[in-house]
Amino acid sequence: MSLDEYRRKRDPKKTPEPFASRQSRKRAPTFVVQRHHARRLHYDFRLERDGVLASWAVPKGIPLEPGVRALAVHVEDHPLEYGAFEGEIPKGEYGAGTVEIWDRGTYELVEEKRDGGLTVRLHGERLDGTWTLIPAHLDGKEQNWLLVRKRDDHEVALRGDYRPMMATLAEELPRGDEWTFEVKWDGYRALGYVRNGEAKLVSRNGNDLTARFPTVARALVTAARSPDCVVDGEVCALDEKGRPSFSAMQQESPARRSSTSSSTCSRSTASRCSTGR
Ligand code: MN
């Protein structure tokens, strides 16, 4: 057990985070990924090891593409109970901000190297595949590891060509539970590609709109709630009454532009969200 560092940083009277830790029984070890919107947005990757959660902070999110390397900063072990924690860490406390469970499940230890490197096969709801943690000591710092998605198993096949979901003419309104309706926003149609902590906006004709709407691109990274997804939406400026105004859009300063997304589709769950056609 090595929770001294964890407890040293936290006051149980001031934060709702768990403190105790119980021993694990014989069962598949668990993992959890928590989206932690602290001073800086990051994802905490935790593996159950020897009765505690070995933990890494991954600034750009768990890499979903085989071969992509992500910095993973090794941090102190956390108690097993932390795997169920979601909530607010109060202002002024260590890691102040919002914690949400992004994924969890069980894993198999595929390989453990002498240098501490780990290869694990994760069985989560979003994450399903093999990842390797490498104690790479980036910049000469012992805590700087790399997290890499292994190329071996079923690849994420979805990439590249997405097209905005356009309206089609109809004689009458379709009815039924499988339909939803949305406002016809008046602005610039854009696809937002969120990847590795950055977002790129692309117009219907394939033009890059990122530099034109930088605040929208930045806001999309935190709003999307996934480090890797494609969003189909409309960039528009709203007037005082909340109505989209195309003329306001052309006059607006970038800081006041707002976006609205009509449908979102995480790449890791893309097969489940091809609705609305
Ligand atoms: Mn964190």
Side-chain angles (χ1 to χ4, degrees):
M1 297 284 248
S2 53
L3 294 172
D4 296 350
E5 177 75 358
Y6 175 91
R7 293 194 176 112
R8 190 181 64 73
K9 289 176 171 172
R10 293 167 178 82
D11 182 342
K13 296 188 201 86
K14 292 181 178 167
T15 167
E17 297 163 284
F19 273 73
S21 196
R22 60 179 138 70
Q23 289 296 330
S24 59
R25 290 179 300 274
K26 269 267 181 236
R27 50 171 175 70
T30 57
F31 81 92
V32 64
V33 177
Q34 281 151 321
R35 182 181 187 274
H36 187 179
H37 202 167
R39 192 160 45 86
R40 283 193 169 199
L41 174 65
H42 61 274
Y43 289 76
D44 290 304
F45 180 48
R46 311 187 196 281
L47 296 174
E48 178 181 353
R49 306 262 297 153
D50 305 322
V52 294
L53 291 171
S55 299
W56 292 261
V58 188
K60 294 191 170 178
I62 312 303
L64 300 183
E65 301 229 6
V68 171
R69 298 140 57 97
L71 170 67
V73 182
H74 195 200
V75 297
E76 75 271 21
D77 292 343
H78 280 50
L80 284 184
E81 286 80 355
Y82 207 97
F85 176 72
E86 288 190 290
E88 289 287 327
I89 302 172
K91 259 196 182 140
E93 298 310 305
Y94 181 74
T98 310
V99 176
E100 296 167 75
I101 293 172
W102 186 77
D103 197 18
R104 63 178 149 189
T106 58
Y107 77 92
E108 300 155 55
L109 184 61
V110 177
E111 188 185 11
E112 179 167 10
K113 292 215 164 145
R114 253 163 220 257
D115 65 2
L118 298 171
T119 297
V120 290
R121 186 182 301 277
L122 304 179
H123 305 284
E125 282 182 37
R126 296 179 191 242
L127 302 177
D128 185 14
T130 308
W131 278 262
T132 297
L133 278 155
I134 306 157
H137 301 205
L138 295 184
D139 301 324
K141 291 182 183 153
E142 197 173 339
Q143 70 269 32
N144 287 350
W145 291 47
L146 279 173
L147 178 61
V148 186
R149 171 115 195 217
K150 291 265 278 190
R151 205 174 283 277
D152 58 3
D153 40 22
H154 37 278
E155 306 243 329
V156 187
L158 297 152
R159 220 227 200 286
D161 269 14
Y162 289 88
R163 292 187 196 287
M165 206 178 274
M166 303 310 287
T168 52
L169 278 176
E171 295 289 314
E172 55 187 60
L173 286 179
R175 300 190 186 278
D177 290 346
E178 67 271 35
W179 291 92
T180 59
F181 298 92
E182 60 189 28
V183 173
K184 166 70 178 78
W185 300 102
D186 195 12
Y188 284 86
R189 191 60 174 265
L191 288 173
Y193 293 84
V194 179
R195 197 154 291 148
N196 301 321
E198 280 172 35
K200 185 178 166 187
L201 301 175
V202 179
S203 78
R204 285 170 62 177
N205 301 323
N207 297 320
D208 194 328
L209 297 174
T210 318
R212 179 147 187 193
F213 306 116
T215 52
V216 174
R218 274 197 300 277
L220 188 55
V221 173
T222 49
R225 286 189 151 51
S226 174
D228 197 321
C229 64
V230 180
V231 174
D232 178 10
E234 188 98 358
V235 181
C236 57
L238 305 180
D239 66 15
E240 321 75 54
K241 291 184 174 155
R243 297 171 305 199
S245 161
F246 201 75
S247 62
M249 174 128 201
Q250 288 166 323
Q251 296 154 19
E252 280 291 315
S253 68
R256 286 197 56 204
R257 286 187 184 123
S258 56
S259 84
T260 171
S261 44
S262 57
S263 57
T264 63
C265 199
S266 167
R267 285 188 47 236
S268 55
T269 58
S271 57
R272 273 184 274 146
C273 47
S274 56
T275 54
R277 299 258 177 190

